[in-house]
Amino acid sequence: MALEVWYGSLALFTSILHNVFLLYHVEVFVSIYKIDKTSFWVGETIFLIWNSVNDPLFGWLSDRKFLNSKSGEPGVVFRRMSALSWNGPFFCLSFLAFWISWTNPSIQFVICLCLYDGFLTMVDLHHSALLADLAVSANARTTLNSYCSIFSAVGSLSVFISYVAWDRGGSKTTFRVFCVALTIISLVGFTVGTRMLKKYCNTRIELRAKKHDEDSQKGLLAAIVPDDVAHLPERAVLKTFVKQLLSHRNFGWFAAMNLVQVFHCHFNSNFFPLFLDHLLGDAISQTGCSVLLGISFIAPHINNLYFLTLCRRMGVYAVIRMLFFIKLILAIVMLLLGPSSIWLLAIFIASNRVFTEGTCKLLNLVISDLVDEDFVIHGRKQAVSALMFGTSALVSKPGQTLAPLLGMWLLSVQTGHDIFQSGNADGSIKLNLKEMDTVAAEAYRMGVFSLLIYIPVACAIFQLFAWSHFTLHGRRLHWVKSVRAGATSDTV
């Protein structure tokens, strides 16, 4: 129980900061710091490159020696924990850099994004890799994931307070104090959490050493085994790994699906306040919008507990496919109903984010299965978990940058509104519909509604196509798990 609690708690200290970042960083630079359009696009382009490169780079730096391994590498779990123990606090400090103007907005935008994403990548990469390193069985992994969902749901409570603390028309002092408080909580949490996790794993290793429990290789701490590294040139090892990855068919289809998934998740987060303000209008109070916003962040983690139960019964593949169908059906139904029903629209806006984020929460399980498949089909003695998680982000993480860029372009196409041309008004990412005539306001509202509907429809159709080509489920997955756990089989 202690392992699951401390592992899951790290998700809490990440989510309380990252949810606030997702909601407000674009609006802060566009509406408050008044960054110009060219600087915004240049900054996002630099961020796109850095965001794509740092995941496989950090994964390679973490796991490159394991590609040479003739047998397991001792202490891989503790290497991950050590990385978390110092990257976590730096991640917290980089979060603070967004909310106070300390240099030219163009320069601050690039520096803040790159620093924040660099440390966030290190935290996510090693935390996710631990999922594959600490456990092999599907039940053990879903249990660890369940605790992450519980703690992430608690962390999402920061969204409730943030919407109230964010004074759109006045001083941002309250919001900045709120961000400082979140940073202190998260920083202390990472320090204590990683220390306790190390202590617990040390205890488990000592017990295993006394009992000579060979079966532990099939369960927790499977990565801690004797070391015997064959020294090969790193360039040759990297070239071999890239060739292996290009031939890994399931990895390719997953990466394509995940690119769209990351895009849709960040699109929903970036434009959620816009949908609330312009589609729900004055029908729902600010408090009501705050509750709806908070629910949309908390519900995916709560739902994930149910989804993980379904995963144990139906398999991860079937549950994710079901969620894609739900996303598509809900969007089509809402398109037929139109934007006139405020409460149905409110439910759709929230549910669209809930089901999209719910899918994201399950993808670490899929990547962990891909780690197992890579381990088996390439005959590795040590799974390269961080490298696989990092490389999968190489083609999926750009969706995080494409979300605001493509979203703003589509907003301009659908509504004729360029957010950078209204920069003199407070809250320039949104128009004041009360200052527009009735026809123009309705046309703008319909454009926003089209943006809300067309994105999930297009994403769901592509994802269903890509997911239909993914074969790591059923008998194939059972065979991979059996070999990874130590069983022998010559057939798939």
Side-chain angles (χ1 to χ4, degrees), residues 188-471:
V188 173
F190 268 110
T191 302
V192 175
T194 52
R195 184 174 300 174
M196 294 303 296
L197 198 56
K198 281 183 181 180
K199 181 178 179 181
Y200 178 82
C201 289
N202 268 321
T203 302
R204 290 295 298 266
I205 293 172
E206 292 172 0
L207 290 174
R208 193 189 69 169
K210 292 178 180 179
K211 297 180 179 179
H212 301 285
D213 185 5
E214 296 179 356
D215 290 337
S216 63
Q217 294 180 11
K218 301 179 183 180
L220 296 176
L221 302 176
I224 305 175
V225 290
D227 179 31
D228 181 19
V229 177
H231 297 286
L232 296 175
E234 285 193 358
R235 182 176 298 180
V237 174
L238 178 60
K239 185 178 180 180
T240 300
F241 176 74
V242 171
K243 286 183 178 179
Q244 292 173 339
L245 199 64
L246 291 176
S247 66
H248 196 163
R249 182 175 177 272
N250 282 323
F251 180 87
W253 284 112
F254 170 80
M257 180 277 292
N258 197 24
L259 168 64
V260 178
Q261 187 64 28
V262 170
F263 165 81
H264 195 196
C265 285
H266 284 82
F267 173 84
N268 284 339
S269 297
N270 293 154
F271 291 91
F272 199 95
L274 177 75
F275 296 143
L276 288 182
D277 287 353
H278 289 329
L279 293 179
L280 302 184
D282 298 328
I284 299 180
S285 65
Q286 182 175 350
T287 302
C289 288
S290 175
V291 172
L292 189 64
L293 184 64
I295 289 174
S296 74
F297 273 81
I298 293 175
H301 304 294
I302 298 175
N303 276 356
N304 196 41
L305 299 175
Y306 174 67
F307 294 151
L308 289 169
T309 302
L310 289 181
C311 287
R312 296 186 186 101
R313 188 187 314 162
M314 302 167 52
V316 179
Y317 175 85
V319 173
I320 291 177
R321 182 179 58 184
M322 177 189 69
L323 291 173
F324 289 155
F325 274 115
I326 291 175
K327 178 165 66 175
L328 178 61
I329 292 170
L330 287 176
I332 293 175
V333 170
M334 196 66 235
L335 176 64
L336 296 175
L337 293 175
S340 57
S341 179
I342 295 298
W343 287 107
L344 287 178
L345 187 59
I347 293 172
F348 173 75
I349 291 174
S351 64
N352 179 42
R353 190 178 189 285
V354 167
F355 287 112
T356 302
E357 289 291 330
T359 304
C360 287
K361 306 307 175 188
L362 301 177
L363 295 186
N364 279 354
L365 294 175
V366 181
I367 301 176
S368 296
D369 290 339
L370 288 169
V371 169
D372 295 339
E373 188 178 38
D374 172 80
F375 176 89
V376 170
I377 63 179
H378 297 122
R380 306 197 194 283
K381 298 301 181 182
Q382 170 63 58
V384 286
S385 308
L387 186 54
M388 285 294 291
F389 273 92
T391 309
S392 70
L394 178 63
V395 290
S396 62
K397 272 293 187 71
Q400 181 177 342
T401 303
L402 290 174
L405 294 180
L406 185 58
M408 288 177 182
W409 176 74
L410 289 173
L411 179 66
S412 177
V413 170
Q414 291 292 326
T415 66
H417 168 55
D418 186 340
I419 67 169
F420 295 97
Q421 294 176 359
S422 56
N424 294 327
D426 183 73
S428 60
I429 198 170
K430 297 180 275 293
L431 287 179
N432 187 349
L433 298 185
K434 294 180 180 179
E435 297 179 355
M436 303 170 63
D437 61 72
T438 305
V439 176
E442 184 60 25
Y444 181 82
R445 188 167 180 265
M446 286 302 301
V448 174
F449 177 75
S450 298
L451 189 65
L452 171 68
I453 298 298
Y454 295 155
I455 290 295
V457 169
C459 289
I461 291 174
F462 177 84
Q463 288 177 305
L464 284 169
F465 170 77
W467 203 233
S468 67
H469 291 80
F470 187 82
T471 61

Side-chain angles (χ1 to χ4, degrees), residues 10-26 29 43-44 46-47 50-52 54-55 58 86-99 102 107-125 155 158-159 175 179 182-183 186-187 190 266 269-270 297 397 400-401:
L10 299 183
L12 163 65
F13 308 127
T14 303
S15 64
I16 60 174
L17 301 184
H18 193 53
N19 289 335
V20 174
F21 162 81
L22 290 176
L23 281 175
Y24 298 105
H25 82 280
V26 172
F29 278 94
E44 286 287 0
I46 295 173
F47 174 58
W50 171 243
N51 196 20
S52 301
N54 62 19
D55 289 89
F58 294 157
W86 65 270
N87 279 290
F90 279 115
F91 160 68
C92 301
L93 295 176
S94 67
F95 170 79
L96 272 183
F98 282 94
W99 317 117
W102 45 269
I107 298 174
Q108 183 176 350
F109 186 62
V110 174
I111 293 176
C112 285
L113 279 180
C114 291
L115 277 178
Y116 179 84
D117 185 72
F119 289 116
L120 175 64
T121 296
M122 290 295 285
V123 170
D124 277 345
L125 194 63
S158 64
V159 175
F175 182 77
C179 290
L182 289 183
T183 301
S186 186
L187 195 152
F190 268 110
H266 284 82
S269 297
N270 293 154
F297 273 81
K397 272 293 187 71
Q400 181 177 342
T401 303

